[in-house]
Every structure is written in structure tokens, then in C-alpha cells.
Amino acid sequence: MINKICGEAMKKMRMLSTATQGAIILFAFLVALLPWGCQASVQQTQGKPALDVPYEPTSNTITQEMLRIANVTSADVVYDLGCGDGRIVIMAAKERKARGVGVDLDPARIRESKENAKSAGVTHLVQFIEQNLFDTNISDATVIMLYLWPEVNLKLRPKLLRELRPGTRIVSHSHTMGDWKPESETKVEGHYLYFFIVPANSTGTWRLTGPDLSNPASLRLTQKFQMIQGSMSSGPGAYPVMNGRLKGSSIRFVIERMVQGVKEIRLFEGNISGNVIVGTVKNQMGNTVSAWKAIRDAATAVPIAE
Ligand SMILES: C[S@@+](CC[C@H](N)C(=O)[O-])C[C@H]1O[C@@H](n2cnc3c(N)ncnc32)[C@H](O)[C@@H]1O
């Protein structure tokens, strides 16, 4: 019976023109694709965005600790990149009077955040934006809160270093930033919280002046996140930069040199503002022995974001 039906169908097919046969094959192909097409549109109509990290809220105790670690005050603008139900920026606003911006790709989370901010009475301090965190302008943040995944932190790291001002504090719940060493690690409820401070860019060649140095002196610096290396040339001598570190725009390093057979240790401390460093030089007793100033050849600076 089946053979008979198939045979009849084949006979009818042969009777059709080649163009009509082609049209039938194309139609069958499109029908076969229909389930995938339907799936895609269902996803769209359900408004399910492609999240980099699924939703999981930070506990209230850990949220409190994140605010404490970043020392959030009313002078701060706190961003939570992937803000979930908005709890971190809402607590920052409620308990510390900080302004806040929560960003989440999931519209349901943004709706929840707005409702929660209303219930907490902080809508005048906080703002919630439905947006991909990688597309968000974060340049006015003074504090960044993160509860993402390790690989997402790594993907975000260049943006943080490029767009945030030196001194901006970052607290990451559970995950590190690869080889960017944190300023501190704190364990709460079995979870690690990592604290980072965005460093200024100290790279390049600086011309130094200061009464304690043979003039002109020059300082060449390279930098990996907040750690700096390099050398200082003063007169005929060249001395390695030791224990070099940045904390935001504050810079410090040690120079050792022999002066008439005696080792002289000098701690250079200063503040970087663009292409100028102004600071003081201390001796090993911690007494200030002179002021120093350095001016960078702007063309020698290299980007620190990687
Ligand atoms: C682990 S939850 C953290 C929620 C909140 N920060 C907290 O600590 O309670 C991660 C959040 O990131 C959001 N998310 C994931 N990928 C995102 C992206 N590319 N842009 C913005 N938000 C994203 C998710 O919707 C989710 O709400």
C-alpha cells in the first residue's frame, strides 16, 4: 500500500516542471528550519538576554562588608556592574548616603531594582540602567562593585584600567583580577572579597629636580598594575628603583646609593597629576630631607591597560 502511494507521488513529481520541483524542495527546506526560527523568536519575545553571568545575590552581610572595605561615604558614586536586584547600591544609598548606579542586562532585575529602591526610599540617590556592563560609561564612578565570574573580570579589567580615574576603589566578590594583585583580601561567610585601587599611569621618562639630587636627574619607570620598576640617573650614577608602588595617584619608591662610602637610603613619596609629580624625599629615619618634583616627557608614557 505504502509502496503504491510513494510510487504515485514520484510519478506526479516527474510530471511537474523543473521550476515547480525546485519550489517544492525549497518549501520543504524552509519548513524543516521552522523549529529553529520559532525558538529564536520565542527567546526574543521572552526577553531573555545573553547574560555573561547568571543571577546570584550577594548576602546582606557580605554587602555590608563590601561597603566597609571600599570605605563608601556620601561623597561616592558606587557602580554595581551586573546589579541583580540592586541591593548593593541601595544599601550604599540607605546606610552611607552614597549615590549609586546599578547596571544589568536583564530587564527583570532592573524592574526589581527600581521597586526595591522605591521601597527603601532612595530613588533620589540611585539609578538603574538596563545595559550591557561592557557598554556602560563608568568614568564617573568612585567605587565599583563586582560579583561576576573570573573570566568576565579578566575581560573587564582593561576597561576598568582605561576608563576609571586613579584612586577608584573596586571590590570583587569571590573572584580575582588575574595577575593584578589586590590591596587586600577579606573572608566573609566563606567568601573572599578582593579590594583593588586603580593606579595612575607612572610610565615613561621623568626629569627630576630636588635639592637632595645632583641636577638634572632622570627617572625611567615601567609599571605592571600598581607595581613599578625602573631606574634613576643622577650625575654619573644610575640606581634601581626599589619597592616601587602606586596607590591611586600616590607613588612611592626607594633609592639607595653610596655617598662617600656610606649607604644613603631615600624614600621618594609623591602625587602624580598628569605629567607632574610633586612630593617629598625622606631619609631612613623617616625625616623629610627635601622636596622633589618630576615632569614627564608625555611622549614616553605607555598605556597600562592590558
Ligand atoms: C552574580 S549576579 C550579582 C548580582 C549583584 N551584583 C549582587 O552581588 O547581588 C550577576 C548579575 O550580572 C548580570 N549580568 C550578567 N551579564 C551581564 C552583562 N553582560 N551586562 C550587565 N549585566 C549582566 C546578571 O543578570 C546578574 O544579575
Side-chain angles (χ1 to χ4, degrees):
M1 180 66 176
I2 290 174
N3 278 349
K4 201 173 164 202
I5 293 168
C6 287
E8 284 300 312
M10 289 306 291
K11 232 188 274 169
K12 291 216 165 97
M13 260 308 258
R14 277 196 294 272
M15 281 156 59
L16 296 171
S17 70
T18 317
T20 317
Q21 281 180 25
I24 289 171
I25 290 165
L26 180 65
F27 178 71
F29 181 68
L30 289 175
V31 167
L33 279 181
L34 206 57
W36 285 284
C38 285
Q39 256 177 20
S41 67
V42 167
Q43 263 207 356
Q44 264 173 12
T45 52
Q46 281 179 348
K48 289 253 163 66
L51 299 174
D52 287 294
V53 184
Y55 178 52
E56 192 187 325
T58 295
S59 77
N60 282 341
T61 308
I62 295 178
T63 301
Q64 298 267 13
E65 192 58 21
M66 290 173 83
L67 298 179
R68 188 198 65 76
I69 289 169
N71 190 23
V72 172
T73 71
S74 59
D76 282 312
V77 181
V78 180
Y79 273 64
D80 184 2
L81 301 180
C83 65
D85 66 1
R87 61 183 58 201
I88 297 179
V89 293
I90 291 172
M91 195 184 278
K94 198 161 180 186
E95 298 191 359
R96 296 177 178 245
K97 310 285 174 253
R99 283 182 294 138
V101 180
V103 178
D104 207 291
L105 203 48
D106 190 337
R109 298 277 97 81
I110 293 297
R111 272 197 301 278
E112 249 171 57
S113 296
K114 286 180 176 170
E115 282 159 20
N116 293 341
K118 216 172 181 179
S119 312
V122 294
T123 49
H124 60 297
L125 287 173
V126 300
Q127 190 191 348
F128 292 100
I129 308 170
E130 184 190 324
Q131 195 174 51
N132 192 321
L133 62 93
F134 288 101
D135 299 333
T136 303
N137 179 348
I138 53 172
S139 57
D140 69 331
T142 59
V143 175
I144 297 274
M145 299 297 193
L146 303 172
Y147 186 19
L148 301 169
W149 276 351
E151 64 273 22
V152 182
N153 273 5
L154 277 190
K155 193 173 157 202
L156 187 60
R157 197 174 72 180
K159 177 177 169 75
L160 299 173
L161 289 165
R162 204 172 42 241
E163 293 181 20
L164 296 171
R165 285 167 295 188
T168 304
R169 293 98 78 202
I170 301 170
V171 182
S172 173
H173 177 176
S174 283
H175 304 299
T176 62
M177 286 277 174
D179 53 352
W180 183 2
K181 296 272 173 288
E183 298 290 323
S184 71
E185 290 181 23
T186 312
K187 201 173 179 186
V188 190
E189 295 181 334
H191 294 218
Y192 279 98
L193 302 176
Y194 300 96
F195 178 55
F196 303 86
I197 300 177
V198 174
N201 184 333
S202 68
T203 63
T205 305
W206 302 79
R207 192 171 46 76
L208 267 83
T209 54
D212 194 42
L213 300 159
S214 335
N215 287 324
S218 82
L219 178 65
R220 281 203 173 80
L221 296 178
T222 60
Q223 178 177 344
K224 182 127 177 110
F225 308 108
Q226 71 273 48
M227 312 309 278
I228 53 181
Q229 290 191 317
S231 67
M232 183 184 284
S233 309
S234 177
Y239 314 97
V241 164
M242 297 161 67
N243 306 330
R245 264 188 84 95
L246 290 151
K247 210 168 195 178
S249 52
S250 299
I251 184 169
R252 56 186 287 151
F253 58 88
V254 171
I255 298 288
E256 286 184 9
R257 59 179 184 167
M258 299 301 286
V259 179
Q260 291 162 359
V262 179
K263 190 198 275 184
E264 182 193 84
I265 300 172
R266 292 288 180 261
L267 170 64
F268 284 74
E269 292 175 319
N271 200 65
I272 304 179
S273 175
N275 291 314
V276 179
I277 305 176
V278 175
T280 54
V281 184
K282 290 181 177 158
N283 63 18
Q284 51 264 63
M285 315 294 288
N287 299 322
T288 301
V289 292
S290 69
W292 68 294
K293 185 172 175 181
I295 296 175
R296 174 168 47 192
D297 174 355
T300 60
V302 294
I304 57 166
E306 37 173 279

